[in-house]
């Protein structure tokens, strides 16, 4: 089912100074996975596991950004981007989590300088899932020591770029790294160990807090925070006790398990009880939550869809939820008639308004940025160099209007980054799904701005929607 643009759409103006950008991640676009001393990451290893990634795809060559970054920055300039959110690659900067490698550091030096010369603000993310494989061999994020090794890596890159990068995020979507990677096994490192996943949650958050201290020391005056993927979770039947319990469980592990320790300084009591058999309390040491809840300058919100859940699985639902909290009692509604992206994700722009309002109302005041929002659709290429993606334009239009509705509701929302600038390696989906506003021909590496890129450029130019 296609997404349709809003009928009789009204003009929408965003606040002065609103940040307009696009986002990428190192492993998804850089390629050059064995170049200039870069060591293997958990994703390099995961890609070699049979059946782990669609078509057996790997992070090579991805979008060849390591060699083509200059061309890509010119694309950003042409589109009028005010900011570019990228991640730095731990295995490139400190190969095998060892000593710094000047070649990797030099690459990010060149990238940042090129962005600044183009008038584009660099937004750096320290961790977008590419853990050095050597650390995974020692237990990965289930090992507390990894948090301290992360702080070492953070110090290396922040001390190098902190004089020019003034916006930092420590982690991207720690939920994915911990739950998908260590419990469900569908992301790297591909483990299915609930106890390891619970340990990974805490150690990722500890690493975030330690990295915040690094940023404060080496990039004074910069803005710093982290990015969480948040989902509104609603019951299929608001009058059903079973459905409300399903909401509690899913919302707890998806949202509150990360929001609460970071913004309130404590894990939710109900989740501490739920996760007691899996050792959450065993990993929390004196002082940890103080480190984790260090004051933030910003919170990045990644939004793609919401969840409608039930505690009484039936036709039109599919099982879901982390296994250790009773997946047999939780299911996701699948037959609600909403349009879907090529990924099968329901298109729910109102959910973006809802989740932004929730953070605004339930947590301490903090500036918010939408650091990812986007959709995969089958793009239609024409021989004249045009790439039509009407569905993506409609998706963008509806979600930007939803973001504006949150601002009208009092949310301190200060920016929007589309995911993604370029078609790229989309994790377990490999190259089968295209999220970019710029089409990448993976055979030739030719870049072609899509219809959505031209549309977004107009939004940026007008700071609003017509």
């Amino acid at each position: 089912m296609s997404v349709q643009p809003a009928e009789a759409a009204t003009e929408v103006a965003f606040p002065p100074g609103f940040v307009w950008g696009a986002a990428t991640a190192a492993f998804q676009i850089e390629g050059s996975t064995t170049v200039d001393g870069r060591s293997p990451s958990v994703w390099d290893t995961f890609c070699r596991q049979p059946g782990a990634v669609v078509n057996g795809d790997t992070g090579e060559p991805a979008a060849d950004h390591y060699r083509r970054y200059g061309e890509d920055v010119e694309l950003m300039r042409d589109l009028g981007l005010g900011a570019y959110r990228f991640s730095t690659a731990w295995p490139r900067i400190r190969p095998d989590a060892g000593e710094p490698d000047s070649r990797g550091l030099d690459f990010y030096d060149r990238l940042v300088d090129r962005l600044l010369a183009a008038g584009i603000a660099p937004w750096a993310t320290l961790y977008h899932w590419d853990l050095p494989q050597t650390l995974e061999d020692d237990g990965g994020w289930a090992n507390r020591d990894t948090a301290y090794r992360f702080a070492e890596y953070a110090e290396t890159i922040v001390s190098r770029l902190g004089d020019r990068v003034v916006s930092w995020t420590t982690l991207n979507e720690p939920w994915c790294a911990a739950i998908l990677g260590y419990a469900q096994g569908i992301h790297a490192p591909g483990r299915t160990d609930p106890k390891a996943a619970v340990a990974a949650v805490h150690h990722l958050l500890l690493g975030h807090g330690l990295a915040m201290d690094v940023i404060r020391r080496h990039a004074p005056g910069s803005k710093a925070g982290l990015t969480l993927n948040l989902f509104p979770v609603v019951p299929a039947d608001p009058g059903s006790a079973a459905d409300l319990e399903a909401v509690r469980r899913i919302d707890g592990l998806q949202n509150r398990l990360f929001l609460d320790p970071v913004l309130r300084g404590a894990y939710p009591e109900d989740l501490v009880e739920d996760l007691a058999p899996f050792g959450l309390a065993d990993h929390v040491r004196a002082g940890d939550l103080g480190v984790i809840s260090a004051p933030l300058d910003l919170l990045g919100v990644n939004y793609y869809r919401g969840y409608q859940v039930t505690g009484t699985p039936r036709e039109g639902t599919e099982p879901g939820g982390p296994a250790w909290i009773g997946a047999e009692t939780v299911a996701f509604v699948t037959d609600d008639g909403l349009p879907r992206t090529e990924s099968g994700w329901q298109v729910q722009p109102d959910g973006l308004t809802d989740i932004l309002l929730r953070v605004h109302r339930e947590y301490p005041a903090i500036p918010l940025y939408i650091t990812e929002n986007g959709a995969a659709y089958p793009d239609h290429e024409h021989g004249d160099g045009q790439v039509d993606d009407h569905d993506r334009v409609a998706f963008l239009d509806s979600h930007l209007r939803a973001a504006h509705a949150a601002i009208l509701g009092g949310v301190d929302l200060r920016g929007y980054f589309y995911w993604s600038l370029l078609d790229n390696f989309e994790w377990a989906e490999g190259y089968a799904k295209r999220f970019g506003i710029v089409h990448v021909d993976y055979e030739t590496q030719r870049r072609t701005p899509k219809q959505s890129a031209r549309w977004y450029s107009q939004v940026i130019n007008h700071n609003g929607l017509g």
Side-chain angles (χ1 to χ4, degrees), residues 66 86 88-89 92-95 99-113 116 122 124 126 151-166 168 214-215 217-220 222:
Y66 190 75
F86 63 97
T88 54
R92 200 180 291 288
I93 292 166
R94 294 188 71 132
E99 293 301 312
D101 191 303
S102 61
R103 293 168 294 182
L105 288 163
D106 290 346
F107 167 70
Y108 294 107
D109 256 338
R110 295 192 299 271
L111 173 62
V112 167
D113 287 345
L116 292 171
L126 294 173
E152 293 173 356
Y153 149 67
E155 188 154 20
T156 298
I157 189 65
V158 175
S159 61
R160 181 68 169 259
L161 302 181
D163 60 332
R164 286 157 290 154
V165 175
V166 295
W168 296 88
V214 168
I215 295 168
R217 288 187 286 109
H218 290 281
S222 66

Side-chain angles (χ1 to χ4, degrees), residues 294-324:
L296 306 180
D297 303 306
L298 62 94
L299 178 68
V301 175
N302 291 358
Y303 175 79
Y304 291 94
R305 56 174 171 162
Y307 290 146
Q308 186 179 22
V309 300
T310 177
T312 53
R314 60 187 184 279
E315 184 178 355
T317 67
E318 60 185 19
W324 64 90

Side-chain angles (χ1 to χ4, degrees), residues 159-387:
S159 61
R160 181 68 169 259
L161 302 181
D163 60 332
R164 286 157 290 154
V165 175
V166 295
S167 298
W168 296 88
T169 49
T170 55
L171 307 176
N172 180 78
E173 299 182 352
W175 180 88
C176 291
I179 306 303
L180 299 185
Y182 287 85
Q184 297 181 356
I186 58 177
H187 275 196
R191 293 168 63 178
T192 53
D193 181 350
K195 289 186 177 181
V198 170
V201 166
H202 184 68
H203 297 150
L204 279 157
L205 292 178
L206 179 62
H208 151 73
L210 295 170
M212 285 293 295
D213 178 66
V214 168
I215 295 168
R216 298 300 189 211
R217 288 187 286 109
H218 290 281
S222 66
K223 297 182 297 184
L226 87 163
T227 285
L228 301 177
N229 54 324
L230 302 179
F231 292 68
V233 185
V234 299
D237 178 3
S240 164
D243 287 9
L244 293 175
E245 171 63 7
V247 168
R248 183 194 71 78
R249 290 173 179 269
I250 297 302
D251 177 64
L253 276 185
Q254 181 69 62
N255 299 319
R256 294 184 291 118
L257 184 59
F258 299 91
L259 283 168
D260 281 33
V262 171
L263 297 180
R264 292 178 174 163
Y267 287 107
E269 291 183 3
D270 62 317
L271 293 182
V272 173
E273 182 177 347
D274 285 344
L275 299 177
F278 306 96
L280 175 60
D282 297 337
H283 300 294
V284 181
R285 298 183 184 176
D288 281 4
L289 286 165
V291 173
I292 291 169
S293 60
L296 306 180
D297 303 306
L298 62 94
L299 178 68
V301 175
N302 291 358
Y303 175 79
Y304 291 94
R305 56 174 171 162
Y307 290 146
Q308 186 179 22
V309 300
T310 177
T312 53
R314 60 187 184 279
E315 184 178 355
T317 67
E318 60 185 19
W324 64 90
I325 60 163
E328 71 279 1
T329 66
V330 177
F332 294 89
V333 176
T334 60
D335 63 349
D336 51 16
L338 291 174
R340 292 176 180 268
T341 70
E342 192 180 20
S343 302
W345 299 347
Q346 297 158 331
V347 178
Q348 300 171 306
D350 291 347
L352 176 57
T353 309
D354 293 343
I355 201 65
L356 293 172
L357 284 170
R358 178 186 177 186
V359 174
H360 167 67
R361 291 168 178 167
E362 297 183 11
Y363 290 89
I366 184 172
L368 302 180
Y369 291 82
I370 298 169
T371 39
E372 288 184 27
N373 174 238
Y377 288 108
D379 300 325
H380 303 290
E381 300 178 67
H382 300 285
D384 58 0
Q386 300 295 312
V387 180

